[in-house]
Amino acid sequence: MGRSRADHRLRWLLSSSAMSNLGDGVGKVAFPLLATTLTRDPVLIAGLAAVQFLPWLLFAVVAGALVDRVDRRRAMVVANSARAVVGGAVAVVVASGAVSIWLVYVAALLIGTAETVADSAANALIPAVVGGDDLEGANSKLQACEIVGQTFLGGPVGSTAFALFATFPFLLNSAGFAIAAAVLLGLGGSYRPKQAEPTRFRSDLADGLRWLRRSPLMLRLLAVAGLLSLLSELAQAQLVLYALDDLRLSDATFGLFAFVGGLGGLAGAALAPKLVRRSSRRAVLVGGVLCCALGFGGMGLTRQPVVAAGLFGLFAAAVVAVNVVLATARHTLVPGELLGRVLGVWRTVVWGVIPVGALLGGLLTELLGSAGRTFAASGAGLLAVTGYAAVSLRRSPIDDKTASSRPVLPLDQ
């Protein structure tokens, strides 16, 4: 694939991703705000957050198997179109005054289910769009689209639009997904994975797990990713309490504190490819987990807001850099025709431990007496993960750029 043509395809994919992430960011703020106008029951409000996350636990593996059987570009178009329809329907219902908390639940569940297909297909498309030439660069740009769309633009736009009138953010939510689907029409070629022979969908569901079980390296990487997710969430779920109680920040200042994390994430996305070129994927992965440990551990030991914000930015930069390396490793090591299924298993594990980590973090804060001590405990745990990563990946082929397992190429090549 020519460099200019690969860049052209990547621009279409990233443009679509930027719009869908903007729609996601608007929706993730607008749905909870809408829920608070319908009920003040904390259980129902918390339930909405669980419903938004639930599809990844229930359908990630199914979505992965699906995108390994169909054209991945078309899967994204259909999934984003479905999200646009649901968002538009919510806007109509809100405008009519007929909305209920249960309708909000159903809409969030439908949009989240379609998201599992759209996001899985987008990640599986990366090696087909850029080949093996610049996987780190492509993955870092995809991460940047997510950070900008959901953190910097989606949240503020969603809350401001809701303050103007309640229907507005859902119109924007629908428009973002519709534009994301339309942009993909410019991505030429067919992106259906090649299968050696027809298989049953039921057997496809287990293929990703079977492949992972036969790949010791990917299992070790999955262990690192799962432990990082679990131990990070111990602290991240307590971030608001840490900022308000330990640092004595105001509600308005907390927004600025969180903004620093977004800046750190962008820095990590920009630096990851350069760091890999100058050192190695293994070094960036191990060093990134170490920086995560130092960031959260340091936050647990300081009560200075400026220092804490800097350490939070360090954590955000490091975790994004680690995610870039892990995504590139998946693209390099997993056969193209299995990428969706392996990604489904991966996300079921890595994202499945997030609510567990959040619950344990709350219990730990109650036990230790402060959120700051939970951050210190998280940092100590992440130091142990750093040691595991350094030892288990010491002689691994994670940096073998020739190990790409036949990424799926457009059929018109």
Side-chain angles (χ1 to χ4, degrees):
M1 186 188 303
R3 178 74 182 187
S4 61
R5 192 169 189 182
D7 289 343
H8 176 73
R9 293 181 190 275
L10 182 60
R11 280 195 294 270
W12 285 114
L13 179 59
L14 292 176
S15 297
S16 175
S17 178
M19 292 308 303
S20 66
N21 276 293
L22 178 59
D24 271 334
V26 170
K28 285 177 181 176
V29 169
F31 274 101
L33 288 174
L34 178 61
T36 60
T37 68
L38 302 170
T39 180
R40 289 291 182 175
D41 186 329
V43 175
L44 289 176
I45 299 298
L48 177 59
V51 165
Q52 288 177 308
F53 181 80
L54 187 61
W56 285 104
L57 285 176
L58 297 179
F59 306 123
V61 175
V62 176
L66 177 66
V67 301
D68 281 344
R69 296 175 70 92
V70 302
D71 185 298
R72 288 160 176 171
R73 179 180 68 93
R74 292 181 182 176
M76 288 183 67
V77 171
V78 172
N80 283 322
S81 297
R83 292 199 282 180
V85 170
V86 175
V90 173
V92 171
V93 174
V94 172
S96 69
V99 67
S100 69
I101 187 63
W102 306 115
L103 187 145
V104 174
Y105 269 48
V106 171
L109 183 64
L110 291 174
I111 288 177
T113 300
E115 181 186 10
T116 64
V117 176
D119 281 10
S120 296
N123 277 272
L125 264 178
I126 286 290
V129 167
V130 302
D133 297 333
D134 190 22
L135 287 174
E136 273 94 6
N139 281 310
S140 69
K141 290 170 184 174
L142 196 64
Q143 287 275 322
C145 285
E146 180 177 343
I147 294 167
V148 172
Q150 297 199 25
T151 302
F152 288 111
L153 295 179
V157 168
S159 57
T160 302
F162 192 88
L164 293 176
F165 60 99
T167 305
F168 193 18
F170 299 102
L171 292 173
L172 294 177
N173 177 256
S174 178
F177 293 137
I179 294 172
V183 166
L184 282 171
L185 299 178
L187 184 61
S190 175
Y191 296 86
R192 186 186 183 101
K194 296 179 180 179
Q195 292 181 324
E197 58 184 25
T199 58
R200 292 186 178 182
F201 190 76
R202 182 180 297 179
S203 65
D204 282 356
L205 294 177
D207 284 345
L209 181 58
R210 281 196 294 265
W211 187 91
L212 274 170
R213 290 174 60 185
R214 294 196 297 266
S215 175
L217 173 56
M218 286 301 294
L219 283 176
R220 291 194 291 270
L221 292 173
L222 179 57
V224 171
L227 290 170
L228 176 61
S229 181
L230 175 69
L231 292 169
S232 296
E233 192 61 24
L234 285 179
Q236 287 196 99
Q238 303 300 303
L239 184 63
V240 173
L241 290 177
Y242 171 76
L244 300 182
D245 296 343
D246 292 69
L247 300 182
R248 306 294 182 184
L249 299 180
S250 65
D251 292 345
T253 312
F254 172 68
L256 181 60
F257 187 87
F259 185 79
V260 173
L263 289 177
L266 282 180
L271 290 174
K274 299 177 182 178
L275 292 173
V276 169
R277 285 194 295 268
R278 292 183 179 181
S279 55
S280 67
R281 290 174 187 160
R282 177 183 175 276
V284 174
L285 176 60
V286 174
V289 178
L290 176 60
C291 288
C292 289
L294 295 177
F296 272 0
M299 288 173 68
L301 299 176
T302 185
R303 298 296 179 268
Q304 296 295 323
V306 174
V307 175
L311 290 168
F312 185 51
L314 172 66
F315 167 83
V319 78
V320 168
V322 170
N323 284 336
V324 168
V325 172
L326 290 172
T328 303
R330 289 196 304 267
H331 291 151
T332 302
L333 299 170
V334 181
E337 64 273 15
L338 282 169
L339 189 54
R341 281 162 282 182
V342 173
L343 182 61
V345 176
W346 183 286
R347 286 189 165 179
T348 298
V349 174
V350 174
W351 292 17
V353 300
I354 288 177
V356 177
L359 177 60
L360 291 177
L363 295 173
L364 197 58
T365 295
E366 186 174 351
L367 178 65
L368 297 178
S370 77
R373 291 171 182 168
T374 299
F375 271 82
S378 172
L382 290 171
L383 276 178
V385 178
T386 303
Y388 169 76
V391 173
S392 65
L393 301 175
R394 183 172 48 190
R395 296 181 179 178
S396 70
I398 188 175
D399 288 294
D400 184 2
K401 296 178 173 59
T402 66
S404 179
S405 302
R406 306 182 311 283
V408 180
L409 296 176
L411 296 184
D412 62 349
Q413 296 302 298

